[in-house]
Amino acid sequence: MNAVDVVIIGAGAAGLMCAIEAGKRGRNVVVLDHANKVGKKILMSGGGRCNFTNLDASPENYLSHNPHFCKSALASYTQWDFIALVKKHKIAYHEKHKGQLFCDNKAKDIVNMLLAECEQAGVKILLNTSVNKIEHEEQYTIETNNGKFCSESLVIASGGLSIPTMGATPFGYKVAEQFGINLWPTSAGLVPFTLHLTAKEKYADLPGLSLPCEVNTQGMSFTEDLLFTHRGLSGPAILQISSYWQPSETLHINLAPNVNLIKDLKIQKENKPNTLVKTALQAHYPKRLINAFTEENILNQPLQECGQQQLEKISQQYTHWLIKPNGTEGYRTAEVTLGGVDCNMLSSKTCEVRNQPGLFFIGEVVDMTGWLGGYNFQWAWASGFVAGRAA
Ligand code: FDA
């Protein structure tokens, strides 16, 4: 039996941050992970450059059944704290878009930084270690294929269900069930949409095309790029709205978020009445998009033959595009998992289970999901930090 102070299950973003903080306090910490490498999701994140935080991270950027829960942790460990750590390790980074900070070089810089901090804090990491059984009497006993551990504190940092090929498992939810902790149903978030066959046929020439849009559902709206794919729709705007979308809901998409399309068509009609509708639209959209959105006979009409109503109808095909997704691509490609461990069962100051002393849940396994843009890592760092200060 290996006796330690803290066992952390999951050597991802949240688990490593928690290990560092607990280790710094002089706690004897061991991190267990069934994978053969630490931080696999960090390595694949941000297109290999890890969007490690966001300059504007705040509680408004998170979805949860208890949206207030993240306030305490996010205030205890802010984006500026993580940026200071990145600077301390001399990792070059840049702001790409809307406050999103990425490594200049590789995501591996972040993993190496966390490993260096773990080493300094005396943290032991055991990879290729699967947990078979957890029991609690006075202490937690964790039975693994790599020996038996007992500890005063047990931290579950095993993440959500997204990208099972990267080692994602429902492990954390099972531990929650074992200890009678409520779970909110889980679903894929920050995920592309698939389209019904008829829509796929209609937009068959569009895969690869990306353009700015404003997308709305459930009273939420995002103005970002949309990307047509072979399966359906993706791009930042779509990933963002997917976390708010409910099955069978219709998306309202404005493909002219930065242009007053109807006004522009009227001006073109006034100035050059012989211009064909398709030529007028080509000022804003590529031909293949126009062909998919407006009927051929209308496209070949001169603007002077279009009445006010017809111009409005043409414009609305782009500004009020209504599309009902078939579904999402699911956990296979989702960046995050919505739902999970009910925040109301945890202390917001430490992420410790209220009626189960010594048991903590942090990171993505908790019902706290960030927007696209570095917010999910910031939650992992912050929840890991507060648990590490208490575990
Ligand atoms: P994480 O999933 O990182 O770690 C969990 C660990 O637990 C893993 O090491 C896993 O092997 C281990 N584990 C699981 N089950 C286990 C078991 N049964 N036994 C032992 N160990 C087990 N976010 C962001 O802010 N910026 C970004 O750029 C990106 N980019 C991005 C790209 C892609 C492709 C994905 C899939 C996700 C992102 N994300 C992101 C989201 C981000 O990666 C995610 O929110 C965090 O990694 C969550 O951190 P955790 O530590 O909670 O889980």
Side-chain angles (χ1 to χ4, degrees):
M1 176 84 85
N2 303 286
V4 294
D5 297 321
V6 186
V7 169
I8 299 171
I9 302 176
L16 293 175
M17 179 55 90
C18 179
I20 293 162
E21 284 312 308
K24 276 192 203 162
R25 287 168 47 232
R27 301 284 274 168
N28 186 357
V29 182
V30 64
V31 185
L32 312 176
D33 199 306
H34 67 166
N36 58 356
K37 254 196 231 171
V38 302
K40 280 193 176 180
K41 278 207 186 150
I42 301 175
L43 293 172
M44 75 186 302
S45 67
R49 292 231 162 102
C50 185
N51 177 194
F52 54 80
T53 193
N54 194 296
L55 292 175
D56 304 317
S58 79
E60 288 74 51
N61 307 115
Y62 293 86
L63 292 87
S64 169
H65 291 87
N66 179 352
H68 300 292
F69 181 79
C70 61
K71 288 182 179 169
S72 179
L74 290 177
S76 300
Y77 192 82
T78 68
Q79 55 272 47
W80 307 109
D81 293 315
F82 194 78
I83 293 166
L85 186 62
V86 167
K87 282 186 175 163
K88 179 180 141 194
H89 285 260
K90 300 194 169 33
I91 296 174
Y93 67 91
H94 60 278
E95 180 185 350
K96 197 168 170 192
H97 173 62
K98 295 192 172 178
Q100 302 166 4
L101 300 188
F102 285 77
C103 297
D104 283 358
N105 301 313
K106 286 198 191 111
K108 199 162 197 305
D109 291 349
I110 299 293
V111 173
N112 288 342
M113 172 187 87
L114 296 168
L115 287 177
E117 290 282 323
C118 277
E119 196 179 334
Q120 213 179 0
V123 171
K124 193 167 171 195
I125 300 174
L126 294 179
L127 298 174
N128 300 306
T129 303
S130 305
V131 177
N132 302 324
K133 199 165 157 194
I134 295 175
E135 282 175 328
H136 180 248
E137 283 180 13
E138 264 172 39
Q139 292 215 312
Y140 291 91
T141 313
I142 300 102
E143 238 179 78
T144 77
N145 62 336
N146 223 343
K148 221 173 181 182
F149 298 83
C150 72
S151 63
E152 186 188 345
S153 297
L154 172 62
V155 183
I156 307 300
S158 52
L161 298 169
S162 40
I163 323 267
T165 48
M166 279 289 131
T169 68
F171 176 82
Y173 310 123
K174 291 198 175 141
V175 177
E177 274 169 4
Q178 180 187 337
F179 287 93
I181 295 160
N182 293 341
L183 290 170
W184 286 102
T186 53
S187 61
L190 300 181
V191 62
F193 286 123
T194 56
L195 294 180
H196 291 281
L197 192 61
T198 43
K200 264 204 271 192
E201 281 170 0
K202 186 168 178 199
Y203 307 120
D205 288 337
L206 304 186
L209 180 69
S210 169
L211 73 168
C213 81
E214 182 194 316
V215 56
N216 293 276
T217 194
Q218 293 271 323
M220 270 313 286
S221 156
F222 290 95
T223 304
E224 290 264 9
D225 282 356
L226 172 150
L227 172 71
F228 288 90
T229 69
H230 287 286
R231 293 164 177 272
L233 301 175
S234 187
I238 293 300
L239 298 183
Q240 296 281 31
I241 209 75
S242 72
S243 297
Y244 291 86
W245 180 78
Q246 298 295 322
S248 87
E249 260 176 21
T250 297
L251 298 174
H252 295 236
I253 302 180
N254 175 5
L255 294 175
N258 309 314
V259 187
N260 188 335
L261 192 58
I262 181 66
K263 191 171 162 197
D264 177 75
L265 291 177
K266 282 184 196 161
I267 292 172
Q268 289 203 58
K269 180 180 168 182
E270 229 172 87
N271 294 347
K272 289 188 182 165
N274 289 330
T275 305
L276 297 182
V277 170
K278 66 179 175 194
T279 315
L281 287 169
Q282 275 169 27
H284 305 286
Y285 305 109
K287 269 190 207 162
R288 53 183 172 142
L289 183 96
I290 295 168
N291 290 337
F293 274 69
T294 307
E295 303 76 28
E296 204 183 336
N297 58 326
I298 296 176
L299 288 177
N300 290 317
Q301 244 174 259
L303 286 170
Q304 64 183 343
E305 284 177 20
C306 299
Q308 164 82 5
Q309 252 187 346
Q310 194 175 19
L311 278 189
E312 263 164 27
K313 205 176 145 205
I314 295 168
S315 156
Q316 283 186 2
Q317 290 172 327
Y318 300 84
T319 58
H320 290 74
W321 179 33
L322 302 181
I323 179 106
K324 193 190 260 191
N326 185 23
T328 73
E329 289 189 5
Y331 296 118
R332 193 180 59 82
T333 57
E335 282 203 12
V336 284
T337 304
L338 294 153
V341 171
D342 183 354
C343 297
N344 293 336
M345 308 292 279
L346 311 177
S347 151
S348 63
K349 292 198 164 56
T350 60
C351 291
E352 185 173 17
V353 178
R354 287 181 193 279
N355 58 5
Q356 181 65 47
L359 181 62
F360 298 73
F361 286 85
I362 56 173
E364 198 178 320
V365 71
V366 177
D367 171 32
M368 188 57 64
T369 307
W371 289 3
L372 184 79
Y375 302 100
N376 284 296
F377 278 135
Q378 188 55 40
W379 167 246
W381 315 133
S383 58
F385 176 88
V386 294
R389 285 272 164 120

